[in-house]
Amino acid sequence: MKRILTVLIIWIVLAAVFSSGAAAQTFAISPIYLSKEAAVGQQVDYTFLIKNNEQREHNYSFQILNLQKEYISSLDNKSFSETNFSLAAGNSKKIDLKLKIPENSKADHLSFRAVLKKEGTIAKSLPLNIKINKDYQLTIADYPRDLNLISGENQSFSVTVGNIGTETLKNIKLKFELPKKWLIENINPKQMDLKAGEKGSFNVKIFVPSSQAAANKEISVIAYNQHSQTKILIGSITVKKNPNYFLVILILLIIMIMGTIYYFRRFGRR
């Protein structure tokens, strides 16, 4: 009986130790799906929550393993290397992982791991998997990479988008990033549908403010819909000053000079 009681006490102690060790930290992931599906050009987001449930501070490190760097667009606003941090007792930390499936991705699926270490020892390791759906693939087939614009005027150019996947893509739109005060006055059509293998062109009217000095600028564009997004394309823009601007300045300068001469001739010095 004494031996049974001793074994029972040891079992209870060991169970308590292991249960406390299991609760030492919380490592949760949002969304909870470890396997996901994404199209090329699409962004996939994960959020990890690490919580220190122990009574003292610990040093942690978080790392994504077995994933090529070109798929990582952001890891907790830091580089691809390990993210190191300390957590006081009861504190937690959220880590955001953003993945971008490249438009020219050759992989059909991605298998990688999210690893959490505590004091240099692996505490948790989560397997993650993304199936890349290549039925939806959008690309920009033609785009003016060198464009000459005149300040104070608008100009039109075209952007050709292609559906290189196997399924119809609906509600395709363009999105631009422009220098300050520049405007996209019109995009025609606003959106379009493309069947597999089809191409379509958007006519874009851009306006450069008259205050824009002669310079070399850049604008970027992407094509996107709910299933796919192209890579960002950057075009080089050469801005020239409107010749009428210099004519107006010259006329104003002549008027000022003539006014000054007239004033001195009329009133002279007193």
Side-chain angles (χ1 to χ4, degrees), residues 82-240:
E82 288 191 20
T83 298
N84 300 295
F85 55 94
S86 297
L87 285 179
N91 284 7
S92 59
K93 179 179 178 63
K94 184 179 74 171
I95 294 179
D96 294 318
L97 170 66
K98 298 182 185 298
L99 305 180
K100 183 67 175 290
I101 309 300
E103 184 180 346
N104 58 350
S105 176
K106 296 180 180 179
D108 294 321
H109 71 276
L110 301 174
S111 296
F112 55 101
R113 304 188 76 84
V115 176
L116 177 70
K117 295 180 181 180
K118 184 181 73 173
E119 312 319 346
T121 301
I122 295 179
K124 294 285 183 178
S125 179
L126 287 178
L128 303 171
N129 184 73
I130 299 176
K131 178 184 176 182
I132 301 178
N133 186 341
K134 295 188 177 180
D135 294 334
Y136 302 104
Q137 294 192 69
L138 189 61
T139 186
I140 295 181
D142 187 35
Y143 171 66
R145 297 183 180 275
D146 294 294
L147 198 62
N148 293 315
L149 301 177
I150 298 177
S151 59
E153 296 184 0
N154 54 39
Q155 185 170 328
S156 297
F157 60 91
S158 64
V159 177
T160 302
V161 178
N163 179 359
I164 57 175
T166 60
E167 298 290 337
T168 297
L169 291 171
K170 294 186 176 182
N171 303 322
I172 301 168
K173 300 178 182 179
L174 296 181
K175 181 180 179 182
F176 288 88
E177 287 192 9
L178 305 172
K180 190 176 181 180
K181 296 184 179 180
W182 290 30
L183 295 174
I184 296 295
E185 291 193 328
N186 188 45
I187 300 178
N188 185 32
K190 299 292 185 184
Q191 60 185 39
M192 68 172 63
D193 300 342
L194 292 176
K195 295 180 181 179
E198 282 188 337
K199 293 181 180 180
S201 294
F202 291 92
N203 185 62
V204 182
K205 183 180 288 186
I206 189 173
F207 175 75
V208 180
S210 56
S211 59
Q212 175 64 60
N216 292 321
K217 296 288 185 178
E218 290 183 343
I219 62 173
S220 62
V221 61
I222 61 170
Y224 69 97
N225 80 335
Q226 62 177 339
H227 295 296
S228 183
Q229 175 178 307
T230 67
K231 63 182 179 181
I232 297 175
L233 291 183
I234 298 176
S236 177
I237 309 297
T238 300
V239 180
K240 297 180 180 179

